Amino acid sequence: MNQQAVPARQIDRTREPIHRLEVNPDELVLKPAVQILDNGIPVYIVQESGSGLFRLEWVMPAGMWYEQKNLAAFFTLRMLREGTQIHDAESFAELTDYHGSYIETTAERDRASVTLYCPLHFAAEVLPLLAEMLAEPTFPEDLLLQELQHQKQAFLINQEKVSFLARNQMMAALFGATHPYGRWIDETDFDQLRREDLLAHHQVGMDLRNTYIVMAGDVPDSLMHTVNRYFGCLTGTHITIAYPKLEQVLTTTGRNIYVSKEGALQTAIRMGRRLFARSHPDFIPAQVAVTILGGYFGCRLMKKLREEQGFTYGIGASIAAMEQDGAFLVATEVGEGVAEQALDAIRQEIRRLRIEPVDKEELERVSTYMTGNMLRNQDGAFARADRLRMLKESGLRMDYFLHWYQRVWSLTGEDIQNVFEMYLKDDDMICVTAG
């Protein structure tokens, strides 16, 4: 059998390869529909017709930022599903399961959310259950005591982990042990929490002036009529809380903190400083700079501490962006006896990025990686709804990701160098080691 030779692909080697990951600009702009319920609650809709499934996320001002007593936010959200004025915990769970639905609750640093996943054809049966749970939870005393004991044991187990100790100490050092972002939790907090604290926090969270809904998936007009029927009639509270006042100037004094943990086989390292929220004009350059340092597998810190020196299996750097503030963080665990060497290596890589501009090849590689991540995080209605919520809570426009893409690909090595010079000096870092 004769085979014909396949002609070699002609490559123009006089032209530089195209590295930039091109995207359709329209795909980077979120365009949710918006409806207002009878009680004024806005509903943002990310439509994906035909799936037969929808997600409803009720977002309320009930995160740790709003709590008046430690752990109140976590346990209020945790206990919402444990019974209402009409259904006890068992019957509530049976009804949601029978209708193929699932409810999850989350208490974050700023906000709290209750999320329902439901087949479209069971909306009329499940939505009133969700509204009932939000408006009329009972927080049964016996179930609360059981959950407190369960979570207390989990907390005590975590207290034996050097990573847990280092992370908590770092956030307290950055923001202060009484600040919502750095609040220190103690074993006694579990013993002091009462049902009355959950009722009070629930009242704070039902302030409808700061509540909104995000819906994603198959959301026809008939579903919105049902949503308005059960959620548009809810009444809220108007409770004013004195919130902590944040410094606007980035002031961090570099210092070292050591947390002793007898018998630990590893030392946890956390290095960082207060930074800024996502709405800051330099957030995007800082995000790229931190990714180069420690945001992907081929980053500077992985090459230095894992591949060259063998100090750790993994290390990462990131920006923790909250609504009111943010922080730059480096996290790793290293073998016993090499913590100081590892800290010196981290400082050395930060210092290098201050004094040496990043070359074009590395910057393009990281920009491509970040663009791919950004596109993947917007794949599907649920993912786009997550992005929408992030933009709303950060006070950003719906075309932010188009601006983000344009800004990322316009950055130069000198821009990255300036970020480290202005915000990420190694001498400014707080260093926490636990082990």
Side-chain angles (χ1 to χ4, degrees):
M1 180 176 175
N2 295 327
Q3 293 183 340
Q4 292 183 339
V6 178
R9 181 185 176 191
Q10 298 299 313
I11 300 176
D12 185 354
R13 299 189 183 278
T14 64
R15 297 180 60 187
E16 182 179 3
I18 299 175
H19 297 288
R20 179 166 177 164
L21 183 59
E22 298 293 342
V23 300
N24 182 350
D26 288 340
E27 295 178 357
L28 302 183
V29 181
L30 296 176
K31 301 174 182 177
V34 183
Q35 294 191 26
I36 306 297
L37 302 186
D38 289 345
N39 55 3
I41 295 177
V43 182
Y44 300 87
I45 304 166
V46 180
Q47 186 68 255
E48 193 171 70
S49 301
S51 66
L53 178 71
F54 72 91
R55 186 181 82 177
L56 185 153
E57 186 173 20
W58 175 280
V59 185
M60 54 185 169
M64 287 181 282
W65 182 268
Y66 297 87
E67 66 183 7
Q68 300 297 290
K69 195 169 184 178
N70 282 358
L71 299 174
F74 175 84
F75 281 97
T76 298
L77 272 292
R78 188 90 174 178
M79 294 295 296
L80 279 177
R81 292 174 294 181
E82 301 303 326
T84 69
Q85 298 288 348
I86 301 174
H87 297 92
D88 61 18
E90 184 176 355
S91 62
F92 188 91
E94 286 179 355
L95 284 168
T96 52
D97 289 347
Y98 177 78
H99 293 101
S101 302
Y102 176 70
I103 296 174
E104 62 183 11
T105 59
T106 307
E108 302 163 357
R109 293 190 183 276
D110 292 291
R111 304 276 170 166
S113 63
V114 177
T115 306
L116 167 69
Y117 298 85
C118 181
L120 181 58
H121 58 278
F122 284 139
E125 289 78 15
V126 179
L127 286 176
L129 288 174
L130 180 63
E132 179 188 314
M133 184 188 85
L134 290 167
E136 302 176 341
T138 55
F139 304 118
E141 190 92 44
D142 56 337
L143 297 181
L144 174 60
L145 291 175
Q146 290 178 20
E147 188 64 22
L148 282 166
Q149 288 302 312
H150 174 73
Q151 294 298 329
K152 181 179 178 180
Q153 290 303 313
F155 173 79
L156 293 175
I157 291 171
N158 282 331
Q159 286 283 82
E160 299 300 313
K161 301 175 182 177
V162 291
S163 58
F164 182 82
L165 296 173
R167 180 175 66 250
N168 286 348
Q169 183 65 65
M170 171 57 80
M171 296 306 287
L174 289 174
F175 297 101
T178 61
H179 188 281
Y181 294 159
R183 189 172 292 144
W184 193 269
I185 301 299
D186 188 79
E187 179 183 349
T188 59
D189 291 325
F190 294 88
D191 302 324
Q192 295 172 0
L193 195 67
R194 299 288 182 267
R195 178 176 178 270
E196 291 71 26
D197 301 317
L198 274 60
L199 289 167
H201 190 75
H202 175 257
Q203 287 297 301
V204 172
M206 286 302 289
D207 185 349
L208 301 187
R209 297 171 300 176
N210 294 308
T211 296
Y212 63 94
I213 294 172
V214 180
M215 298 197 66
D218 203 344
V219 187
D221 290 341
S222 58
L223 175 59
M224 287 309 304
H225 289 308
T226 307
V227 170
N228 188 51
R229 176 183 176 186
Y230 292 109
F231 295 89
C233 62
L234 296 181
T235 57
T237 59
H238 294 79
I239 299 175
T240 302
I241 298 175
Y243 304 118
K245 188 175 182 180
L246 294 173
E247 289 183 60
Q248 297 303 312
V249 181
L250 297 176
T251 55
T252 299
T253 302
R255 62 185 188 275
N256 298 321
I257 300 171
Y258 176 66
V259 182
S260 177
K261 186 61 184 175
E262 186 176 350
L265 300 178
Q266 285 190 314
T267 298
I269 293 175
R270 298 294 183 271
M271 179 185 291
R273 64 157 303 163
R274 272 178 66 177
L275 205 56
F276 35 65
R278 197 179 300 272
S279 56
H280 191 279
D282 285 333
F283 182 86
I284 295 173
Q287 195 176 26
V288 176
V290 172
T291 303
I292 291 170
L293 175 68
Y296 70 112
F297 193 78
C299 66
R300 298 280 187 100
L301 292 179
M302 284 289 281
K303 288 179 180 178
K304 185 73 172 182
L305 278 84
R306 174 189 164 104
E307 297 176 17
E308 296 179 14
Q309 298 181 329
F311 288 154
T312 182
Y313 286 110
I315 183 171
S318 61
I319 300 176
M322 287 78 79
E323 278 189 43
Q324 308 294 334
D325 211 323
F328 162 72
L329 298 167
V330 176
T332 189
E333 282 78 47
V334 300
E336 189 178 5
V338 298
E340 286 303 319
Q341 293 171 265
L343 284 169
D344 288 341
I346 296 170
R347 293 189 187 100
Q348 180 183 342
E349 290 305 313
I350 293 174
R351 198 175 298 123
R352 276 186 59 203
L353 286 163
R354 276 181 61 198
I355 62 178
E356 300 174 7
V358 176
D359 64 46
K360 183 178 180 181
E361 182 181 352
E362 183 178 13
L363 187 55
E364 286 183 342
R365 180 170 64 248
V366 170
S367 298
T368 301
Y369 167 79
M370 294 180 68
T371 301
N373 266 352
M374 181 267 292
L375 294 173
R376 184 172 65 250
N377 289 336
Q378 296 192 135
D379 184 16
F382 292 176
R384 291 196 299 277
D386 291 338
R387 298 296 92 190
L388 183 154
R389 183 183 165 192
M390 183 271 285
L391 296 183
K392 179 170 173 55
E393 293 177 6
S394 300
L396 298 169
R397 293 159 48 102
M398 292 297 150
D399 62 354
Y400 171 79
F401 290 108
L402 176 58
H403 167 68
W404 181 94
Y405 173 76
Q406 293 167 342
R407 186 77 190 278
V408 165
W409 284 97
S410 70
L411 293 173
T412 66
E414 289 72 21
D415 293 328
I416 303 303
Q417 191 178 4
N418 289 337
V419 168
F420 281 90
E421 179 61 34
M422 292 176 63
Y423 304 115
L424 301 176
K425 295 179 181 178
D426 52 289
D427 292 338
D428 290 341
M429 299 295 166
I430 294 175
C431 301
V432 176
T433 54

